[in-house]
Amino acid sequence: MKKLAFLILIFLLPDVHAGEVRVAVAANFLATLKALAPEYEAQSGHKLIISGASSGKLYAHILNGAPYDVLLSADKFYPEKLVEVDKAVANSRFTYAVGRLVLWSRDKQPIDRARLSDPDIKRIAIANTRTAPYGTAAQHVLQKIGLWSTLKDKLVRGESIGQTFQFVASGNAQLGFIALSQVLNPKNHFNRTSYWLVPQDHYPLLEQEAVLLTYGKNNPNARNFLEFLKSDVVRDAIRQYGYL
Amino acid sequence: MDLLSPVVLTLKLAAVTTLILLLISTPLAWWLAHSKSKWAAIVETLVALPLVLPPTVLGFYLLIVLGANGVIGGPWADLTGSALTFTFSGLVIASVIYSLPFVVQPLQNSFVAVGRKPLEVALLLRASRLDAFFSVILPLSMRGYITAAVLGFTHTMGEFGVVLMVGGSIPGETQVLSIAIYEHVEVLDYGAAHVLSAGLLIFTFIVLLMVYVINRRFPTNAH
């Protein structure tokens, strides 16, 4: 009898641990979320299932029925859109991080906006301006300082901000507009010290919004995870990763 | 553990896909090898399409067909409550289409090489069709089967573009090796990317090497 009870218990166990939250996360926040995940999992006992891509791609996936509980977008636009089509819960939106755009190069010499006009610069990487909010921000900056049309032919587009970083880190582009969080990522072994922090008034605020998706509406762990993101300790940690 | 999950998932996907492919490709390849129908050329072309089409084209249409409103995904959603996109079952269907030519073509080639004669002789000796196939054709086509199974398996393991579009990178469900590697590179985790990439490289090399070694021991099917 004892053996049988034990067996039954084993079969029941997976259900006891079934608590999980499926998070779709914008590429710029992927590394930060992965760093925060162990803390959340230890605190709540729930597992985070993380899927990272550019916000636009995640948006398309969610429209097509991808089973995610929560979206951590790189902007406000996609969460808003998802609420409009009933794929997300209206009053669950909030800003979990404000992103900061930097101009970055792999070599460690000091860098400022003047480098953009350096004739030695052959390629400048920016994220896709249609699907990655950091790409749109970079376009704003170049238009604001009047270099968009002159530099247009030098621009190479990464599919997400993650790939944009790759273009620069691999030396295929000499400069790139990426997220400060990527530069500060401890796994960035190239150059974490010199970059041009683009002034905040050069581009619209990169308010990154989290939203509860309709798929996760009945998952209490999803709401619990969103509360975790709002906690002071986590907000401080997020700031240390390069967000406002 | 985190590193192991995409490996296990990928092996599972490749195994299931290869099994299904061997089952459906056998009659298909046999028909293509011996049919004189004018439709044979059209079917042969359809089978070969995934070889040359960009995976994004395949992924795009699969997203539509397998989605909640799609021709296949719709009825499936009515039955099961969820669409086929972003699920393991959806990946299996996508992989079967994607890897079809890699299994059909080697089988077709070996069936052509075996020819109709052995089958006709077996039938004359009053073997049933099924018996004739398993006792005569199958052993004679062993090289083709080994090549087909291995190509189908390894090709499915390396799938990227289609999975990127219909998979959604869900760990443990749709995040296969190639996607996991891509994500590790995106977050600068080169250590993990190296482990998985080198593992896949070595595994594929060993499997292919084994095939070529084994194949040398089987008679060529020209005899």
Side-chain angles (χ1 to χ4, degrees), chain B residues 82-163:
Chain B
S82 74
L84 276 165
T85 41
F86 316 109
T87 64
F88 182 77
S89 312
L91 283 196
V92 171
I93 294 178
S95 303
V96 163
I97 296 171
Y98 182 70
S99 296
L100 188 67
F102 292 85
V103 177
V104 170
Q105 291 187 350
L107 289 186
Q108 189 184 338
N109 289 340
S110 69
F111 289 158
V112 167
V114 168
R116 292 190 71 97
K117 277 222 178 82
L119 184 73
E120 278 158 10
V121 171
L123 291 179
L124 267 177
L125 295 170
R126 303 200 178 176
S128 73
R129 276 194 170 264
L130 217 59
D131 186 24
F133 179 79
F134 280 106
S135 341
V136 180
I137 305 299
L138 197 65
L140 284 174
S141 314
M142 219 45 201
R143 275 181 84 139
Y145 270 94
I146 292 172
T147 309
V150 168
L151 284 184
F153 192 90
T154 45
H155 188 248
T156 306
M157 278 190 80
E159 188 171 339
F160 179 74
V162 173
V163 183

Side-chain angles (χ1 to χ4, degrees), chain A residues 38-59:
Chain A
E39 168 138 5
Y40 174 73
E41 291 181 346
Q43 221 181 78
S44 67
H46 306 144
K47 206 170 155 33
L48 278 189
I49 303 203
I50 301 168
S51 304
S54 71
S55 298
K57 196 176 351 141
L58 294 171
Y59 169 73

Side-chain angles (χ1 to χ4, degrees), chain A:
Chain A
M1 247 346 248
K2 258 189 183 167
K3 259 186 188 166
L4 187 71
F6 183 69
L7 272 177
I8 291 172
L9 194 70
I10 282 183
F11 279 111
L12 287 176
L13 271 179
D15 274 330
V16 180
H17 290 277
E20 57 177 42
V21 187
R22 290 155 176 259
V23 187
V25 58
N28 80 79
F29 200 71
L30 182 57
T32 307
L33 183 64
K34 283 197 166 170
L36 292 170
E39 168 138 5
Y40 174 73
E41 291 181 346
Q43 221 181 78
S44 67
H46 306 144
K47 206 170 155 33
L48 278 189
I49 303 203
I50 301 168
S51 304
S54 71
S55 298
K57 196 176 351 141
L58 294 171
Y59 169 73
H61 277 176
I62 291 162
L63 280 188
N64 281 291
Y68 303 131
D69 293 317
V70 169
L71 168 69
L72 302 184
S73 179
D75 63 2
K76 305 202 287 192
F77 176 76
Y78 291 116
E80 208 177 316
K81 280 275 200 193
L82 287 170
V83 168
E84 273 172 32
V85 295
D86 260 354
K87 288 281 184 188
V89 179
N91 55 17
S92 67
R93 288 167 52 196
F94 71 95
T95 304
Y96 64 94
V98 176
R100 293 211 274 175
L101 192 70
V102 294
L103 183 67
W104 183 71
S105 122
R106 198 171 67 162
D107 60 61
K108 290 181 176 133
Q109 54 173 296
I111 178 172
D112 60 18
R113 57 177 275 187
R115 276 291 283 287
L116 285 167
S117 313
D118 185 338
D120 284 345
I121 301 294
K122 301 283 183 247
R123 293 260 178 247
I124 300 164
I126 70 172
N128 189 325
T129 50
R130 285 176 64 198
T131 58
Y134 280 83
T136 320
Q139 182 178 358
H140 266 282
V141 174
L142 289 175
Q143 282 166 342
K144 169 113 182 166
I145 58 183
L147 289 176
W148 178 250
S149 45
T150 17
L151 293 181
K152 228 174 167 179
D153 296 333
K154 291 187 175 182
L155 297 180
V156 285
R157 282 173 179 76
E159 181 268 327
S160 71
I161 199 76
Q163 205 192 12
T164 311
F165 181 95
Q166 287 310 314
F167 285 161
V168 187
S170 61
N172 288 296
Q174 292 80 34
L175 287 176
F177 282 100
I178 57 170
L180 178 60
S181 59
Q182 293 176 294
V183 177
L184 300 182
N185 182 343
K187 292 204 162 133
N188 166 13
H189 297 299
F190 298 98
N191 163 22
R192 253 182 284 166
T193 50
S194 66
Y195 46 86
W196 177 47
L197 188 60
V198 181
Q200 203 54 258
D201 62 356
H202 280 42
Y203 58 97
L205 214 52
L206 279 165
E207 286 175 286
Q208 307 198 181
E209 277 197 356
V211 70
L212 179 65
L213 299 171
T214 311
Y215 178 85
K217 211 163 81 179
N218 298 318
N219 180 357
N221 307 329
R223 290 178 195 269
N224 174 279
F225 169 72
L226 288 173
E227 287 310 310
F228 167 81
L229 274 183
K230 287 178 190 164
S231 68
D232 288 341
V233 189
V234 175
R235 301 203 61 81
D236 282 347
I238 290 176
R239 254 173 234 127
Q240 280 177 17
Y241 282 102
Y243 297 92
L244 280 174

